[in-house]
Amino acid sequence: MYPCNRFRVNMYIKLLLLKLPSLLITVFLLCSAAFGQSYQDFVNETDVDKKCRLADELSQRYMILDLDSMKMTGEHLLAFSNKKQNKKGINLAYYILGDYFTRTAKEQKGLELLREAKNHYLSNQDYNKITRIYNAIGIAYQHIGNYKEASKWYKHSLKYGELASDEYVTNMALINLAQAQQAMEEYDAAIENAEKYKDWVMKLGAFDFVSNAFAVLGSIALDQEKYDRAVYYFEQCYKFAEKMDDNAGKGHAYTNIGIARYLQGDKEASEECFLKALEYRKKVRHISMLCDAYLNYGGILFEQQKQEEAIKYYKEGLRVAQQHKKYSNEIELLEALKEAYTGYDDKQLVEVSKMMEDATTHLSKLNESQEKLDELLTLELRESERIRKSGFVSENNKWPFYVGAVILLAGVFFVALRKKLT
């Protein structure tokens, strides 16, 4: 985001709020799960139950840190489970991949898989998984922009959360419900649910996630143009992030404070906040967010006619994006440079335009490669659907049939015995 005018800032805020549910859904799962094993341990595991446990843990970690690895985990589990014809693995893979698709703008595909997983876990009365899946379905609808439907699923998640045995998932949907209500301008209800969420995480001692509650309260205050109140909430975000020595959280807090200060018209304070956010994000080394921080800081400099300084930070962000082949970030930074060079340096403007074409081509090729991988995934999904319809149950799950056979044989024996006695 480079705040060249208020419209762009407002659009950035809306995009930020849209992404928040994807960031917040795993809060407590990350708290409660122990991530000792590596991806390679998961790949090497041959026991279905252990493999599913590892897949669940890894996917929770990857949900925030690495979506590509989350997809790889789901795909591997699905292929493995198809070969074993194991419905437990297939449905967990549906959940992982469904959650992945909802986070990568393929909501319809994600919803189809999440609903399949939902039906499986409902039949098994696994209320921990159901609570999580209903929340994920709500997020999918929220990303689509259907906030009323999203609210319905969040409320279902809370209902099943009352039956869940894992205390870290019971009220996980509260914060997402608050955001859906915010989008519908139901501010009183949104504030109430965000406060409930905050109290809940405080009670659990999950102080690093109290920051998330304050972030939502701050964004509601921004919506209501209560900028001083928003700054207060974002400062609380920073306070709890600092308490947990969370550099990513501190970077988010200063980014939000910078936006609030900009909307207040205090560009100098906004510049200072975006610079602090950049310094924290350098420590985290999350490439996309680091590029975003360079874009933010360069943007506020450009807004104040500090053109050469702005170009310097845009270029540094561009270098990082190119080094790590983050083509989407590269294109955003090139767009910012294009605006900065317009009417200022025609030679550089031509060069930037050429770089923009190259980055767009690379991104297109990357998307084509992704489509080919998606075709392989589609084949795996068709195979698992065939297994589901066949009614086949793996060796691990055949014990109900053995029990049934014993009961049937006992019945036959009893009938035969009665005939003999008569």
Side-chain angles (χ1 to χ4, degrees):
M1 187 277 293
Y2 48 106
C4 298
N5 57 48
R6 185 169 179 132
F7 172 74
R8 285 182 184 162
V9 174
N10 289 337
M11 286 300 294
Y12 177 77
I13 292 169
K14 288 177 181 177
L15 288 172
L16 179 66
L17 295 176
L18 186 64
K19 293 176 182 177
L20 270 173
S22 298
L23 298 174
L24 298 178
I25 182 176
T26 53
V27 219
F28 302 114
L29 302 175
L30 289 169
C31 284
S32 59
F35 298 120
Q37 287 79 13
S38 68
Y39 180 79
Q40 197 56 48
D41 292 329
F42 159 69
V43 170
N44 294 337
E45 184 57 64
T46 57
D47 179 82
V48 174
D49 291 332
K50 290 180 181 178
K51 200 175 191 77
C52 285
R53 178 180 59 79
L54 289 173
D56 199 18
E57 292 180 359
L58 286 170
S59 66
Q60 291 166 36
R61 185 202 308 178
Y62 294 146
M63 203 177 294
I64 289 178
L65 302 177
D66 188 349
L67 284 175
D68 289 338
S69 294
M70 181 182 178
K71 184 185 180 188
M72 287 171 57
T73 302
E75 288 176 337
H76 177 85
L77 179 63
L78 184 62
F80 174 87
S81 301
N82 280 341
K83 289 177 183 177
K84 296 284 184 179
Q85 297 200 17
N86 182 276
K87 291 189 176 182
K88 176 180 179 179
I90 287 171
N91 282 282
L92 180 58
Y94 278 171
Y95 170 42
I96 293 170
L97 291 168
D99 218 359
Y100 163 79
F101 286 128
T102 64
R103 296 163 196 280
T104 53
K106 297 177 182 176
E107 293 88 359
Q108 194 59 47
K109 193 170 186 178
L111 280 169
E112 290 171 5
L113 295 176
L114 288 171
R115 283 170 174 154
E116 287 288 346
K118 169 183 70 71
N119 294 336
H120 170 77
Y121 289 113
L122 276 172
S123 66
N124 291 342
Q125 296 184 328
D126 187 338
Y127 297 120
N128 293 329
K129 284 286 198 312
I130 295 167
T131 301
R132 290 163 56 186
I133 290 171
Y134 274 52
N135 194 23
I137 291 174
I139 287 173
Y141 280 113
Q142 187 152 336
H143 283 182
I144 292 170
N146 190 340
Y147 302 111
K148 186 175 181 180
E149 190 70 11
S151 295
K152 182 183 81 175
W153 287 97
Y154 293 144
K155 289 173 182 176
H156 280 310
S157 175
L158 292 168
K159 181 183 74 174
Y160 281 104
E162 294 175 1
L163 302 172
S165 60
D166 185 351
E167 64 178 346
Y168 289 100
V169 305
T170 56
N171 291 320
M172 65 188 306
L174 269 175
I175 198 69
N176 294 333
L177 177 59
Q179 291 173 84
Q181 290 166 332
Q182 176 190 351
M184 294 185 290
E185 299 184 2
E186 298 173 2
Y187 294 121
D188 290 342
I191 292 169
E192 181 182 353
N193 283 315
E195 291 283 0
K196 283 182 182 177
Y197 173 89
K198 175 171 65 69
D199 293 342
W200 177 53
V201 292
M202 287 284 285
K203 184 179 178 181
L204 288 174
F207 299 116
D208 39 348
F209 301 114
V210 176
S211 181
N212 292 327
F214 280 117
V216 173
L217 288 166
S219 70
I220 294 170
L222 281 182
D223 268 10
Q224 296 177 308
E225 299 185 2
K226 298 177 180 178
Y227 300 130
D228 288 336
R229 190 71 177 165
V231 169
Y232 164 77
Y233 283 131
F234 294 140
E235 285 174 346
Q236 295 305 304
C237 290
Y238 178 82
K239 173 184 172 183
F240 280 95
E242 187 175 40
K243 184 181 181 72
M244 303 306 295
D245 195 25
D246 175 11
N247 286 321
K250 287 186 272 190
H252 290 322
Y254 267 115
T255 297
N256 287 332
I257 295 170
I259 292 170
R261 290 301 188 197
Y262 177 81
L263 292 174
Q264 284 180 312
D266 191 343
K267 294 178 183 178
E268 290 184 5
S270 180
E271 176 186 335
E272 183 181 339
C273 290
F274 283 133
L275 179 58
K276 287 181 178 178
L278 173 59
E279 294 306 317
Y280 282 121
R281 287 183 171 178
K282 283 180 181 178
K283 295 177 183 179
V284 176
R285 297 298 297 171
H286 185 296
I287 301 304
S288 292
M289 288 186 176
L290 179 58
C291 291
D292 223 26
Y294 277 114
L295 193 61
N296 289 342
Y297 188 56
I300 195 64
L301 291 171
F302 182 74
E303 180 75 4
Q304 297 177 91
Q305 285 78 50
K306 299 177 182 178
Q307 199 153 352
E308 291 187 7
E309 287 184 70
I311 289 170
K312 171 187 170 184
Y313 282 94
Y314 287 153
K315 282 186 172 180
E316 182 58 24
L318 180 62
R319 183 192 65 78
V320 172
Q322 290 174 331
Q323 179 184 348
H324 295 276
K325 298 181 180 180
K326 294 290 185 180
Y327 300 118
S328 294
N329 293 114
E330 184 179 346
I331 289 169
E332 288 180 339
L333 286 154
L334 286 168
E335 286 175 347
L337 278 168
K338 189 174 181 180
E339 182 172 29
Y341 282 130
T342 299
Y344 178 73
D345 190 329
D346 292 340
K347 183 179 179 182
Q348 288 295 326
L349 187 60
V350 172
E351 181 64 25
V352 166
S353 297
K354 176 64 169 61
M355 293 169 70
M356 181 84 78
E357 290 177 9
D358 292 341
T360 302
T361 299
H362 285 306
L363 183 60
S364 178
K365 288 181 179 178
L366 184 66
N367 289 336
E368 288 176 8
S369 175
Q370 185 60 56
E371 286 175 5
K372 290 179 181 178
L373 291 174
D374 286 346
E375 287 175 7
L376 294 175
L377 174 58
T378 299
L379 293 175
E380 288 292 350
L381 289 171
R382 286 176 183 167
E383 174 61 14
S384 58
E385 181 66 8
R386 183 193 66 77
I387 293 169
R388 186 182 69 81
K389 288 181 177 179
S390 71
F392 184 93
V393 181
S394 72
E395 291 295 328
N396 286 7
N397 296 322
K398 279 187 175 178
W399 65 267
F401 292 93
Y402 296 139
V403 172
V406 170
I407 293 171
L408 180 62
L409 287 172
V412 171
F413 175 78
F414 178 72
V415 170
L417 181 62
R418 283 192 63 185
K419 286 183 177 180
K420 184 175 182 181
L421 291 173
T422 57

